[in-house]
Amino acid sequence: MEIDAAREVRTTCPYCGVGCGVLAKVAADGQVSVRGDPDHPANFGRLCSKGSALAETIDLDGRLLHPEIDGRRVRWDEALDRVASTFSQTIAEHGPDSVAFYVSGQLLTEDYYVANKLMKGFVGSANIDTNSRLCMASSVAGHRRAFGSDTVPGTYEDLELADLIVLVGSNLAWCHPVLYQRIAAAREKRPEMKIVLVDPRRTMTADIADMHLAIAPDGDVALFTGLLAYLGQHNALDRAYITEHTTGFDRALFAASNLDLAGVAEATGLSEDELGRFYSLFARTEKTVTVYSQGVNQSSSGTDKVNAIINCHLATGRIGKPGAGPFSVTGQPNAMGGREVGGMANMLAAHMEIENPAHRARVRRFWNAPSMAEQPGLKAVDMFKAVGDGRIKALWIMATNPVDSMPDADAVEAAIKACPFVVVSDVLASTDTVRHAHVRLPATAWGEKDGTVTNSERRISRQRAFLPAPGEARPDWWIVAEVARLMGFGEWFAHATPAEIFAEHAALSAYENDGARDFDIGAYAGIDAEEYDALAPFQWPEKDGQAARSPSTRFFANGNFYTPDGRARFIPIRPVAETRTDEKFPLILNTGRVRDHWHTMTRTGKSPRLSQHIAEPFVEIHPADAQHFGIGDADIVRISSPRGEVLVRALVTSRQRQGSLFAPMHWTDQFAAKGRLDALTASLTDPVSGQPALKHVAVRIEKFAAKAFGFAVMRQRPAPVAATYWAVAKCRGGWRVELAFADDDIDWAGFAAALFGASPDMLAYHDRDAGQHRIAAFDGERLAGALFVAPGPVAVSRGWAAEQLEETHAGQRERFRIVAGRAGAERPDAGATVCSCFSVGANQIAAAVAAGCTTVASIGETLKAGTNCGSCRAEIRAIIEARRVQAAE
């Protein structure tokens, strides 16, 4: 494709489910720049740190550019024939349930649609599931139980109209920053708006909360069941709504009435006073939105949590109205699109039910499908168990990394390694999953892909290509359709463009739909390529023959649910106490994300900016627990469960709940020695949704007895590192590595040479008695690498050391300064990165405070920090407060 340097392309961010619009521009020299789309109704021009750095993640380093079979480059026709013939032979010999697809919320809707169609309608199995099972399956199950459909009732606008926002299990400031900023901006305009955070951790989101309820792990069912009882006891119910639009209220209230305030306090770890204040606030605030995310969904009681929340909104009639409703915010850019096309093992396309014979017959007719799946397939956790025990003999993994993201990850890796035939479609040549593939298929990446995605408020937006596909990379839909053709189904997969697939998807949504199904975009059933290219973001439903709806479409304000009787169902919920800890594993591990990284870092790991705020795997631990287990701040610690262990850096903080730990899930074998966190998590799942309980894992923690610590910077990415602990991160000009060693009897000069390449021009300082070693190697006037070793955590400035990779070092003075590990007075150290959007460090912020900046706003005016995505504002405020305390002492 030709690149028009004068044209900005409207596309959509490939990260979380907020679905922000992005304007991407390619300059005449090939440089790409991105900015937020001011006209997109999801973000109105805002972008988070990850979205702002998208242009830093689209290089071709590490890309899979050609098809491979057993590590050998082959032509596309050979690779496709191997996939098609092996799947066909496996099905013929062992039946359709002997094969499976594991797909991803990173796929576009058109990719998802074709994969689901092939598996369910032509292979004849429902063994297609998605990594969205790990993030929003409990929301789907809760919606279907209550509403009769997987319908998100509200819109983002409700977050700005609400008088009370309850954030449950959601660190919105870091995980959905643009929504956080929309709320923060609304709060500035209406200071009377109240915000309650329900989370075991005091996250950065607590910065805007009026009340933080540091709930016990999995205490949410008791919290909201107790709230329902409170609403009944205090006459805070909408009796008219309950009578006209719901069923089952009396049973749900009876189940809740067994839980008094004292019982709720015991189950949640909250005081009766905290509960009373929250319950009273909820009861008296008509415009209430309850936003929930992974802290609710990733639980063995996730579906009950969802329904406990929905029960409270149904009981008060606070659903589908401006500024009121339960709101699930999804984790991936197209988790919602996957739900729409039936990309999960227990769903059909267009929000139809695989268990419903009429729905199956309808889809069979529309597709003219010869082998329609008759029953649900295996959900993700069970799918990989079936891979492990040999029931699944051919597996196709698309755009995801289950060796890192699935629970009990070591068992999942063993299952994939033992599987007779594994195909992986991906953009990278080396991930922890790709390395085990028999066939590797190069897929197009963001910037090259063309299709649609759906965000958390049901808004469908276009992802448009602005870069040519590199090498032999192909769209995922094309790859699947070609395999379908070779399997003998070419007549039904003769799609030439994603526009044709979207038109078919839209037509299916309207097919024999008399209003009994929520998902209907029949208005686009006849869309052509030109109209598709110009498609503006829209929120479904958009039915054929109806005028375009308003920008904000809500469901259920006046009932009209998708149950047989049109009424919502209250679900009786009885909290069940779960004790998973014991003497051997006495702590609860909570897993999640950090601000600047995404999933398994295949994209964000390429960005120097995004790697500077947090550059290595870590665990948050409460000071009392740290003291009990003999752990100091910045120690390397070993966390163990019955399934595996990891080595991470300790972060001692009172933000963490005592008795609990928090660690992020992003680090893989590509970025750390032993950081694959899901090696610890169990395959325990919610019995309704099949979603794994990734936030409540019994573990133990112990200090790793390191004899030496190290830090290094280097121009080239290091080969395998000979250290017990290491974590590598991209920086400007090269790479940085954190190190720890079980032994200090090491030839440090030899280690340095192996780390960043031998150099004839090396300077070194050794104080063996003190355990201090500093080595710098030069390639001409450029720094090839520098290594700093100490008996404790190395005190050198990481930012300053990394900057030296971009400097010239002609004189001995500059070179010795690197060995000394100190910046000169003329080059002040910026300190640890706080604002990734503008690369502003803690020392710069502290200096600005000392110079008279006493508010977050004034810091923004001086340094720009906090003025883009705003995710760092809480940290900026903490620095301001710390300086204020120092000044007062």
Side-chain angles (χ1 to χ4, degrees), residues 341-601:
V341 303
M344 301 178 79
N346 57 323
M347 302 172 70
L348 277 183
H351 281 198
M352 284 182 271
E353 300 170 357
I354 198 167
E355 303 93 334
N356 186 317
H359 289 187
R360 293 199 304 271
R362 182 181 298 130
V363 177
R364 181 197 297 269
R365 287 194 299 275
F366 182 86
W367 281 344
N368 195 20
S371 304
M372 196 71 195
E374 298 290 331
Q375 60 187 8
L378 294 172
K379 299 169 185 174
V381 170
D382 290 333
M383 177 183 289
F384 283 99
K385 288 181 179 178
V387 173
D389 64 27
R391 284 175 287 156
I392 290 176
K393 303 177 187 303
L395 173 67
W396 190 347
I397 299 168
M398 305 178 198
T400 187
N401 202 359
V403 167
D404 297 313
S405 58
M406 284 293 295
D408 200 1
D410 287 348
V412 168
E413 181 172 34
I416 292 172
K417 288 172 68 174
C419 186
F421 188 64
V422 176
V423 182
V424 177
S425 307
D426 211 318
V427 301
L428 291 185
S430 179
T431 72
D432 292 351
T433 298
V434 168
R435 64 189 177 191
H436 301 305
H438 300 96
V439 179
R440 304 174 185 181
L441 304 176
T444 48
W446 183 81
E448 307 150 12
K449 296 168 74 73
D450 195 30
T452 58
V453 293
T454 308
N455 74 359
S456 294
E457 64 166 353
R458 296 176 278 107
R459 194 173 300 279
I460 296 175
S461 299
R462 289 276 276 111
Q463 266 195 23
R464 294 180 174 89
F466 54 88
L467 294 171
E472 295 181 87
R474 297 290 185 271
D476 288 281
W477 67 263
W478 180 90
I479 298 170
V480 176
E482 286 296 295
V483 169
R485 179 180 62 81
L486 291 169
M487 293 177 73
F489 309 127
E491 178 183 351
W492 300 278
F493 291 84
H495 311 294
T497 66
E500 294 177 12
I501 302 169
F502 185 79
E504 182 178 318
H505 165 51
L508 176 55
S509 77
Y511 184 63
E512 298 179 5
N513 189 351
D514 58 2
R517 302 198 307 273
D518 63 337
F519 180 69
D520 189 335
I521 56 171
Y524 300 95
I527 196 169
D528 61 25
E530 185 176 347
E531 292 167 327
Y532 181 77
D533 187 55
L535 186 66
F538 72 94
Q539 190 176 48
W540 63 259
E542 286 279 6
K543 300 180 181 180
D544 191 19
Q546 290 188 356
R549 294 170 176 263
S550 69
S552 297
T553 303
R554 299 177 179 84
F555 282 89
F556 310 141
N558 298 308
N560 300 314
F561 294 90
Y562 294 93
T563 55
D565 61 4
R567 295 170 176 268
R569 305 184 189 100
F570 279 92
I571 306 298
I573 305 292
R574 290 182 173 83
V576 177
E578 295 189 59
T579 302
R580 297 181 191 165
T581 56
D582 55 28
E583 290 185 2
K584 191 173 183 181
F585 300 101
L587 298 171
I588 292 296
L589 174 67
N590 175 13
T591 70
R593 297 177 182 166
V594 297
R595 188 186 76 190
D596 296 341
H597 277 308
W598 176 254
H599 286 195
T600 59
M601 293 167 58

Side-chain angles (χ1 to χ4, degrees), residues 692-738:
L694 300 178
K695 293 187 172 290
H696 192 160
V697 184
V699 297
R700 65 170 175 258
I701 190 170
E702 57 190 323
K703 181 177 178 178
F704 169 67
K707 296 289 185 65
F709 292 80
F711 172 74
V713 295
M714 63 214 69
R715 299 255 301 277
Q716 301 297 320
R717 180 163 185 161
V721 181
T724 313
Y725 170 89
W726 58 266
V728 62
K730 195 83 169 66
C731 64
R732 291 183 61 183
W735 299 84
R736 52 181 283 186
V737 187
E738 298 287 347

Side-chain angles (χ1 to χ4, degrees), residues 82 87 125 163 273 326 371 393 415 417 442 465 468 587 594 645 708 801:
R82 175 68 65 88
F87 268 76
S125 170
D163 294 324
D273 178 65
S371 304
K393 303 177 187 303
K417 288 172 68 174
L587 298 171
V594 297
E645 64 178 36

Side-chain angles (χ1 to χ4, degrees), residues 101 115 134 151 164 181 205 260 267 330-331 352 394 402 566 617 643 666 702 772 828 864 878 887:
F101 292 172
L134 311 181
T151 310
L164 170 63
Q181 283 308 307
T205 303
D260 60 14
T330 52
M352 284 182 271
R643 291 156 295 280
H666 307 289
E702 57 190 323
Q772 298 276 355
K864 297 183 71 175

